[in-house]
């Protein structure tokens, strides 16, 4: 089995969960919210750079299900 990484990033209201083994690198997240998702940065997800509503809308568009969220 390949290395599986699950990471969480929170803005205080919700936590974004990223599962590397599900990610197909479609780029929907980066194209939709480039101020939040920057693959060249560490950490690559900065949820504080968008509203919770915008984050939820974008996460729901993830084609692979690699991104999910839960409310804090």
């Amino acid at each position: 089995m390949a290395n599986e990484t699950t990471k969480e990033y929170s803005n205080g209201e919700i936590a974004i969960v990223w599962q590397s083994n599900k990610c197909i690198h479609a780029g929907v997240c980066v194209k939709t919210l480039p101020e939040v998702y920057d693959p060249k940065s560490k950490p690559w997800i900065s949820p504080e750079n968008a509203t919770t509503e915008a984050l939820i809308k974008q996460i729901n568009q993830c084609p692979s299900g690699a991104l999910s969220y839960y409310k804090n």
Side-chain angles (χ1 to χ4, degrees):
M1 179 187 255
N3 280 348
E4 180 179 332
T5 304
T6 299
K7 295 195 175 186
E8 294 187 10
Y9 307 85
S10 178
N11 70 355
E13 292 181 23
I14 67 166
I16 298 172
V17 180
W18 177 64
Q19 298 176 73
S20 65
N21 65 318
K22 288 185 176 181
C23 187
I24 60 171
H25 304 285
V28 174
C29 55
V30 176
K31 291 175 192 139
T32 306
L33 291 175
E35 65 276 17
V36 174
Y37 302 94
D38 182 356
K40 295 177 182 158
S41 292
K42 298 252 181 213
W44 78 280
I45 300 177
S46 300
E48 66 276 6
N49 291 343
T51 65
T52 295
E53 293 76 23
L55 292 168
I56 291 170
K57 183 177 178 187
Q58 181 284 307
I59 290 164
N60 288 337
Q61 294 175 25
C62 180
S64 67
L67 291 171
S68 60
Y69 70 93
Y70 62 87
K71 295 189 178 184
N72 291 343

